[in-house]
Amino acid sequence: MSDKTAPPITPLAGLPAGWTGAAPDADALFAMAQTALDALPEVFRPHIEGVVIAIEEFADDEVLKSLDIEHPYDLTGLYEGRPLTERSIEQSGGMPDRVTLYRIPILVEWIEGGERLDWLVRHVLIHEIGHHFGFSDDDMHALEDMA
């Protein structure tokens, strides 16, 4: 047994100050997602106001079936809504657009891939926000490079 004290834990960007190193909870992932949103270029911000960001443990069976995904670990995020490129001024009402990040699949990908967790959350969030704008995969990569 050693009488040395452990160095203080320095949390990743976007994690709550009291993070102890255990698997981040939904609040910690939400904080990382909010940090990623705040880093988006100013030109995008007015267009994402009102988009709901949610953290859930897994996608439910209905969502997985609708996307033809067999295993819940295979879905890290989901955009639900009508992309801006498909909207008309004649349409109104309806539910707000929503981006859901799935905590457990993100954590599994983080463990398996070795990437920083805040970067992975940022990547998934930007990809789903890209669907809101009707972006192609190339456009989403460019947006991620700008954030």
Side-chain angles (χ1 to χ4, degrees), residues 58 73 103-114 120:
F58 288 104
Y73 287 153
R103 189 178 82 90
I104 301 298
I106 288 173
L107 293 178
V108 168
E109 187 171 325
W110 170 53
I111 290 165
E112 291 176 349
L120 180 57

Side-chain angles (χ1 to χ4, degrees), residues 1-145:
M1 185 140 175
S2 172
D3 60 347
K4 294 180 182 178
T5 46
I9 296 172
T10 305
L12 297 174
L15 285 175
W19 185 59
T20 62
D25 63 12
D27 291 338
L29 261 64
F30 185 84
M32 286 183 256
Q34 190 61 55
T35 298
L37 273 180
D38 293 344
L40 288 175
E42 189 68 37
V43 68
F44 293 105
R45 291 192 188 155
H47 305 288
I48 58 174
E49 286 181 13
V51 174
V52 174
I53 306 297
I55 309 294
E56 295 181 8
E57 294 298 291
F58 288 104
D60 63 31
D61 290 339
E62 184 178 317
V63 167
L64 294 171
K65 185 177 179 181
S66 74
L67 297 170
D68 201 27
I69 295 175
E70 291 184 25
H71 200 283
Y73 287 153
D74 292 337
L75 186 62
T76 55
L78 178 67
Y79 168 73
E80 296 172 281
R82 182 179 298 268
L84 296 176
T85 55
E86 296 177 14
R87 294 186 185 183
S88 165
I89 59 171
E90 297 172 3
Q91 295 170 326
S92 64
M95 298 298 291
D97 292 339
R98 175 183 172 103
V99 169
T100 304
L101 303 180
Y102 297 108
R103 189 178 82 90
I104 301 298
I106 288 173
L107 293 178
V108 168
E109 187 171 325
W110 170 53
I111 290 165
E112 291 176 349
E115 188 174 0
R116 279 182 48 167
L117 181 57
D118 56 335
W119 291 354
L120 180 57
V121 169
R122 177 180 167 270
H123 171 77
V124 174
L125 178 79
I126 288 174
H127 181 88
E128 300 310 328
I129 290 290
H131 289 302
H132 172 69
F133 287 101
F135 287 169
S136 68
D137 282 342
D138 288 340
D139 294 336
M140 289 180 211
H141 291 296
L143 176 58
E144 191 170 5
D145 290 343

